[in-house]
Amino acid sequence: AALIEHEDYLCMAFRGTDEIADWIDNANVFPEQVLFGDFHRGFWYSLEDIWSGLFQCYLDLRVAKKRPRPLFITGHSLGGAMATVAAAKLIHQDRPFISAYTFGQPRTMSKETSYIFDIEAKARFFRFQNNNDLVTRVPARLMGYNHVGSSIYISEEGSLYNDPGLWFRFLDSVEGAVDAVSQYKIDAIDDHNMKHYIKAVGKWDFQTME
């Protein structure tokens, strides 16, 4: 993770899977009862490994200026799950963050826990999913896990939609799969690449988004 200091804001940014230990955490899908509910155990401990030092740095920077600076949170893939847990920690401690943006993140908490999270933060938590990105579909709902926040869907053409219907997403997923085959790519894996998210977000205008 990185804590980014800007003149006008602070940002916690979490990276995705990058080493064997990360894959072990990804596979540790058992629930862990902490904070205000049940969280994916692997993602919880991924954040716990670094949280103490990161949070202390944040507290130090927060008081370094006479005026308060808002906190943003972001992450991709495993980093998106860690960003979600970080947001939950701040919610539980009644500490402020202005908004969070995750990209291609897996499900992180139980259905019941997600309801509590969304009551507190849905309006300031934006979860981006690119077309057929496989990582956004795990762990399965049948295992009791659920997504949180406001869903921002990126279509095969790179357009952004605020939580479109299932029929639209089905047709778009078919289009994405067909296009990938024609380019000799595995769509569910290629769509997870951060470059596709960066390209789409580069033209994002939330006020005029469909």
Side-chain angles (χ1 to χ4, degrees), residues 72-75 80 84 97-105 117 121-129 148-152 162 204 206 209:
F72 294 89
I73 309 172
T74 190
T84 305
F97 67 91
I98 194 71
S99 57
Y101 304 85
T102 69
F103 307 91
Q105 77 157 89
F117 184 100
K122 184 172 184 177
R124 53 191 167 126
F125 192 101
F126 302 93
R127 177 178 52 81
F128 289 78
Q129 176 187 335
V148 297
S150 300
S151 172
I152 309 297
N162 189 358
W204 183 37
F206 184 74
M209 187 174 57

Side-chain angles (χ1 to χ4, degrees), residues 1-67:
L3 179 59
I4 301 158
E5 181 183 17
H6 185 275
E7 180 66 24
D8 299 318
Y9 62 84
L10 300 172
C11 178
M12 290 182 180
F14 300 87
R15 67 160 173 79
T17 301
D18 190 51
E19 55 192 15
I20 293 177
D22 295 336
W23 286 108
I24 294 174
D25 286 336
N26 291 340
N28 191 357
V29 297
F30 296 102
E32 183 81 6
Q33 190 168 14
V34 290
L35 304 180
F36 47 83
D38 290 327
F39 290 77
H40 181 291
R41 183 173 297 171
F43 301 153
W44 169 262
Y45 282 112
S46 287
L47 183 68
E48 281 291 278
D49 287 343
I50 63 171
W51 180 250
S52 179
L54 180 70
F55 187 59
Q56 187 58 55
C57 286
Y58 162 68
L59 293 178
D60 292 343
L61 288 176
R62 193 164 181 261
V63 299
K65 297 271 186 178
K66 291 184 178 180
R67 61 184 180 83

Side-chain angles (χ1 to χ4, degrees), residues 11-210:
C11 178
M12 290 182 180
F14 300 87
R15 67 160 173 79
T17 301
D18 190 51
E19 55 192 15
I20 293 177
D22 295 336
W23 286 108
I24 294 174
D25 286 336
N26 291 340
N28 191 357
V29 297
F30 296 102
E32 183 81 6
Q33 190 168 14
V34 290
L35 304 180
F36 47 83
D38 290 327
F39 290 77
H40 181 291
R41 183 173 297 171
F43 301 153
W44 169 262
Y45 282 112
S46 287
L47 183 68
E48 281 291 278
D49 287 343
I50 63 171
W51 180 250
S52 179
L54 180 70
F55 187 59
Q56 187 58 55
C57 286
Y58 162 68
L59 293 178
D60 292 343
L61 288 176
R62 193 164 181 261
V63 299
K65 297 271 186 178
K66 291 184 178 180
R67 61 184 180 83
R69 287 176 289 181
L71 174 66
F72 294 89
I73 309 172
T74 190
H76 171 247
S77 192
L78 168 62
M82 294 170 68
T84 305
V85 178
K89 277 180 169 285
L90 295 173
I91 290 170
H92 186 67
Q93 296 176 18
D94 199 25
R95 292 184 178 273
F97 67 91
I98 194 71
S99 57
Y101 304 85
T102 69
F103 307 91
Q105 77 157 89
R107 297 184 178 101
T108 309
M109 62 189 76
S110 71
K111 187 175 182 179
E112 293 75 15
T113 308
S114 73
Y115 291 158
I116 300 173
F117 184 100
D118 281 345
I119 289 172
E120 296 287 342
K122 184 172 184 177
R124 53 191 167 126
F125 192 101
F126 302 93
R127 177 178 52 81
F128 289 78
Q129 176 187 335
N130 183 36
N131 193 246
N132 286 324
D133 186 341
L134 177 64
V135 174
T136 64
R137 294 173 167 83
V138 296
R141 289 182 183 275
L142 291 176
M143 298 179 68
Y145 287 96
N146 205 47
H147 274 308
V148 297
S150 300
S151 172
I152 309 297
Y153 179 80
I154 303 172
S155 71
E156 171 63 16
E157 297 178 350
S159 299
L160 280 76
Y161 297 86
N162 189 358
D163 203 10
L166 290 176
W167 182 243
F168 173 89
R169 293 177 64 163
F170 170 74
L171 294 177
D172 192 60
S173 68
V174 172
E175 180 182 350
V178 172
D179 288 346
V181 169
S182 67
Q183 299 176 46
Y184 304 101
K185 296 179 180 179
I186 301 176
D187 194 37
I189 296 176
D190 184 62
D191 281 354
H192 188 58
N193 194 312
M194 188 61 193
K195 69 180 182 181
H196 300 306
Y197 286 98
I198 293 174
K199 183 177 180 180
V201 171
K203 59 180 182 181
W204 183 37
D205 181 354
F206 184 74
Q207 297 301 319
T208 61
M209 187 174 57
E210 296 183 46

